[in-house]
């Protein structure tokens, strides 16, 4: 921060001299380092770039300096990102933005319906800015003010006509009592009315051992009293906040789902989108009590990127009009799902086997809009476009089976899932394979829950390929630029991005082309996506081990020696382009 204040034009400086010092800062609780560490596969990074240290670069925005390329952000905004000395922008995506805390000087600009409301708001907000922690009464009063404003004034924060009161009602809730009667007890659905307000706690389980949780053994006893003294501090704080909000009931997953009952856990997990709900019209915090500053690159509030809001929009539109705009609906639905997947895949689950279950409720919300089968994190419609998720950001494959190898849910790491969903003009998109049948074997009746197996039956090309690393320099470029890749014993500009940092993969390997997208305004360049497949012990059955595409910053074109194996470009007299595939190397096979 000292560097930023002394040199506001932007710049960089050494963040940590080594990975070890960076990890020590994370373990020591540095908030910035902890935030950055969530986005870094430190083990993989150190394997390819031994101890170069990490550089912190920044841009700063003020009234006279506009380095932060986002007019929607306020003056004083700082954008930070990590870089490696050898490749300046290799970690550019590992970044975050700091915005200045709202001060009392901003409060007078608030607008409300009447002077009395304005004065009341100013008083509540101004008092909250004096608090040193979120536990201060002034901050708790601010939370109560937000809640009441939402209940009384917001028109889009309920779910009319979409979800019934019965569907919204949890199976269990915690009666938090009062400050005078400090006793907690578990209430079953029959003990509380269908229409009631309750708070929910979203938290990370972490690695704490012997935490208190609901089991079949204590279910009956907890209906009399829950041992408050044994609860984690996070839970005790949630109780205090719930009481201050004027609510009597609280939902916490580990205390309201029977943890040693698989059937109860699966059932309740599928209902998370009904149990958790939030204000739809305001994003605020203690630093920005009247709402977070707008971000122009979002174009609309992030609240708009939810399955529920898309359902609400379509619910009140003319049905005939919806039918004529199915492609727009599908495009926005995939945009929402892509944002969900990318954000979700950055998180670290306490139990990796929960990956499908933990996102199942969001998938169920989107199902009415997709109008097709859900397949272990993918959607049956336009499935060929979804299979090209890049392997470059994969950290590891799951040790225990949880999804087919072609599904992004089978791996850990940031999934840039729907970067492969380009949705360019249909005349520019050319599939190079055909999915004849898709199958997933469900572990329960919930189509959005865990799976025990699955496969894709494919008619497509299988081109022999062998991963090749030419030099030590190429080895260092592998995570970023992929492995050089001969296909059908022919050199190509395509690269192999291996799923996870596994030992050398046994050969033979095969390239399966997925699609071409012609860039009509980009000369002869095009986008290519493909999969690297490895045979299993069963004839004509393969598993995915990575993705195939051009190196970073490069494009595929018809001059590549591999292109004739795919087909040819035809040009019209008006300058238009079209692709015609050939029948070379086609086969019928399965991917598991």
């Amino acid at each position: 921060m000292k560097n930023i204040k002394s040199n506001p034009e932007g710049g960089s400086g050494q963040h940590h001299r080594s990975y070890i010092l960076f990890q020590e800062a994370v373990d020591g609780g540095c908030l910035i380092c902890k935030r950055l560490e969530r986005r870094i596969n430190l083990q993989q990074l150190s394997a390819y770039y031994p101890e170069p240290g990490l550089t912190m670069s920044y841009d700063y925005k003020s009234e006279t300096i506009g380095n932060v390329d986002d007019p929607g952000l306020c003056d004083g905004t700082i954008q930070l990102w990590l870089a490696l000395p050898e490749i300046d922008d290799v970690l550019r995506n590992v970044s975050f933005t700091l915005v200045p805390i709202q001060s009392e000087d901003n409060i007078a600009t608030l607008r409300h319906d009447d002077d009395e409301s304005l004065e009341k708001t100013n008083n509540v907000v101004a008092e909250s800015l004096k608090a040193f922690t979120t536990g201060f009464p002034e901050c708790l009063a601010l939370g109560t003010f937000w809640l009441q404003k939402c209940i009384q004034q917001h028109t889009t924060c309920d779910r009319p006509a979409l979800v019934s009161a019965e569907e919204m009602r949890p199976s269990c809730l915690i009666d938090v009592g009062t400050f005078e009667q400090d006793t907690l007890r578990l209430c079953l659905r029959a003990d509380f009315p269908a229409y009631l307000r309750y708070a929910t706690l979203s938290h990370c389980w972490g690695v704490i051992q012997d935490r208190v949780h609901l089991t079949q053994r204590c279910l009956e006893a907890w209906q009399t009293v829950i041992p408050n003294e044994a609860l984690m501090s996070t839970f005790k704080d949630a109780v205090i906040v719930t009481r201050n909000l004027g609510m009597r009931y609280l939902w916490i997953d580990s205390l309201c789902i029977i943890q040693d009952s698989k059937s109860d856990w699966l059932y309740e997990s599928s209902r998370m989108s009904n149990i958790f709900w939030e204000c739809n019209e305001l994003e605020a915090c203690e630093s920005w009590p009247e709402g977070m500053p707008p971000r122009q690159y979002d174009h609309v509030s992030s609240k708009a990127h939810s399955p529920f809001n898309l359902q609400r929009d379509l619910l009140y539109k003319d049905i005939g009009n919806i039918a004529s705009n199915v492609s727009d609906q599908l495009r926005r639905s995939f945009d929402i799902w892509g944002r969900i997947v990318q954000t979700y895949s950055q998180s670290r689950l306490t139990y990796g086997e929960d990956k499908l279950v933990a996102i199942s409720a969001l998938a169920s919300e989107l199902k009415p809009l997709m109008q097709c089968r859900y397949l272990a994190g993918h959607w049956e419609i336009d499935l060929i476009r979804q299979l090209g998720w890049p392997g470059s950001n994969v950290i590891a494959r799951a040790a225990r089976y949880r999804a087919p190898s072609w599904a992004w849910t089978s791996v850990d790491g940031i999934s840039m899932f729907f970067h492969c969903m380009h949705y360019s003009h249909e005349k520019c998109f050319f599939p190079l394979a055909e999915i004849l049948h898709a199958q997933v074997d469900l572990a329960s009746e919930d189509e959005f829950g865990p799976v025990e197996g699955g496969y894709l039956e494919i008619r497509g090309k299988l081109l022999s390929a062998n991963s090749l690393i030419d030099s030590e320099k190429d080895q260092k470029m592998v995570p970023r630029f992929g492995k050089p890749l001969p296909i059908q014993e022919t050199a190509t500009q395509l690269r192999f991005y291996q799923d996870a940092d596994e030992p050398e993969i046994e050969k033979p390997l095969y390239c399966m082309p997925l699609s071409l997208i012609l860039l009509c305004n980009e000369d002869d360049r095009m986008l290519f996506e493909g999969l690297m497949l490895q045979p299993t012990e069963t004839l004509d059955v393969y598993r995915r081990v990575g993705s195939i595409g051009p190196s970073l910053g490069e494009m595929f074109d018809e001059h590549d020696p591999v292109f004739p194996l795919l087909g040819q470009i035809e040009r019209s007299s008006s300058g238009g382009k079209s692709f015609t595939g050939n029948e070379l190397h086609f086969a019928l096979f399965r991917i598991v």
Side-chain angles (χ1 to χ4, degrees), residues 274-384:
N274 291 336
I275 290 176
F276 281 96
W277 199 238
E278 63 180 10
C279 176
N280 190 53
E281 298 186 16
L282 176 67
E283 288 180 288
C285 63
E286 291 79 9
S287 298
W288 287 89
E290 278 296 307
M292 299 296 292
R295 297 176 295 179
Q296 183 165 342
Y297 51 80
D298 276 347
H299 301 293
V300 291
S301 167
S302 61
K303 300 287 186 181
H305 299 300
S306 73
F308 165 66
N309 279 319
L310 182 51
Q311 286 190 55
R312 178 190 292 278
D313 290 347
L314 298 178
L315 180 69
Y316 297 112
K317 286 183 178 179
D318 179 72
I319 299 299
N321 188 43
I322 294 174
S324 65
N325 290 282
V326 171
S327 60
D328 291 336
Q329 173 187 327
L330 188 64
R331 189 176 291 108
R332 185 174 170 192
S333 298
F334 270 121
D335 179 52
I336 289 173
W337 185 244
R339 290 170 183 266
I340 291 172
V341 169
Q342 184 169 335
T343 301
Y344 175 65
S345 62
Q346 295 177 30
S347 61
R348 297 181 180 179
L349 298 179
T350 304
Y351 302 107
E353 58 267 27
D354 293 350
K355 190 146 196 169
L356 276 167
V357 176
I359 201 173
S360 63
L362 290 170
S364 66
E365 288 279 321
L366 209 56
K367 173 71 180 286
L369 306 172
M370 291 297 193
Q371 299 180 3
C372 66
R373 288 193 300 157
Y374 179 73
L375 303 168
H378 295 255
W379 300 94
E380 187 173 28
I381 188 170
D382 275 349
L383 182 56
I384 200 73

Side-chain angles (χ1 to χ4, degrees), residues 31 33-34 60 78 88 94 101 128 338 455 478 530:
L31 295 179
C33 293
K34 288 174 68 175
Y60 181 82
I78 301 168
D88 182 58
V94 185
I101 293 176
S128 71
Y455 65 86
V478 165

Side-chain angles (χ1 to χ4, degrees), residues 572-589:
S572 66
S573 58
S574 62
K577 294 186 296 183
S578 181
F579 172 79
T580 301
N582 58 40
E583 294 296 316
L584 297 176
H585 305 286
F586 263 97
L588 297 177
F589 54 93

Side-chain angles (χ1 to χ4, degrees), residues 300-503:
V300 291
S301 167
S302 61
K303 300 287 186 181
H305 299 300
S306 73
F308 165 66
N309 279 319
L310 182 51
Q311 286 190 55
R312 178 190 292 278
D313 290 347
L314 298 178
L315 180 69
Y316 297 112
K317 286 183 178 179
D318 179 72
I319 299 299
N321 188 43
I322 294 174
S324 65
N325 290 282
V326 171
S327 60
D328 291 336
Q329 173 187 327
L330 188 64
R331 189 176 291 108
R332 185 174 170 192
S333 298
F334 270 121
D335 179 52
I336 289 173
W337 185 244
R339 290 170 183 266
I340 291 172
V341 169
Q342 184 169 335
T343 301
Y344 175 65
S345 62
Q346 295 177 30
S347 61
R348 297 181 180 179
L349 298 179
T350 304
Y351 302 107
E353 58 267 27
D354 293 350
K355 190 146 196 169
L356 276 167
V357 176
I359 201 173
S360 63
L362 290 170
S364 66
E365 288 279 321
L366 209 56
K367 173 71 180 286
L369 306 172
M370 291 297 193
Q371 299 180 3
C372 66
R373 288 193 300 157
Y374 179 73
L375 303 168
H378 295 255
W379 300 94
E380 187 173 28
I381 188 170
D382 275 349
L383 182 56
I384 200 73
R385 296 181 192 250
Q386 302 169 45
L387 300 179
W389 48 273
S392 54
N393 292 320
V394 172
I395 295 175
R397 281 204 168 270
R400 296 174 58 184
Y401 184 90
R402 68 184 181 213
S405 67
W406 45 265
W408 65 268
T409 49
S410 66
V411 300
D412 293 323
I414 302 173
S415 179
M416 313 297 284
F417 179 38
F418 284 102
H419 278 207
C420 53
M421 298 295 293
H422 299 289
Y423 271 110
S424 54
H425 195 282
E426 292 303 313
K427 292 182 179 180
C428 299
F429 176 80
F430 298 92
L432 301 176
E434 180 183 3
I435 300 174
L436 304 178
H437 181 67
Q439 175 71 34
V440 292
D441 304 320
L442 301 174
S444 67
E445 295 181 359
D446 181 12
E447 67 171 309
F448 307 103
V451 301
E452 296 177 339
Y455 65 86
L456 298 178
E457 193 168 308
I458 302 284
R459 180 181 181 272
K461 294 177 181 287
L462 284 177
L463 307 175
S464 64
N466 288 294
S467 173
L468 177 65
I469 299 179
D470 291 328
S471 65
E472 181 180 349
K473 179 181 178 181
D474 285 329
Q475 288 184 9
K476 297 181 71 174
M477 299 300 177
V478 165
R480 182 74 166 168
F481 300 98
K483 298 180 181 180
L485 180 72
I487 296 178
Q488 293 291 117
E489 301 181 354
T490 301
T492 175
Q493 57 191 348
L494 296 176
R495 295 292 184 265
F496 167 38
Y497 297 90
Q498 185 175 333
D499 293 344
D501 189 23
E502 299 174 349

Side-chain angles (χ1 to χ4, degrees), residues 30 98 143 214 221 232 453 472 522 573:
C30 173
L98 301 177
L214 179 61
M232 295 192 302
E472 181 180 349
E522 297 286 345
S573 58

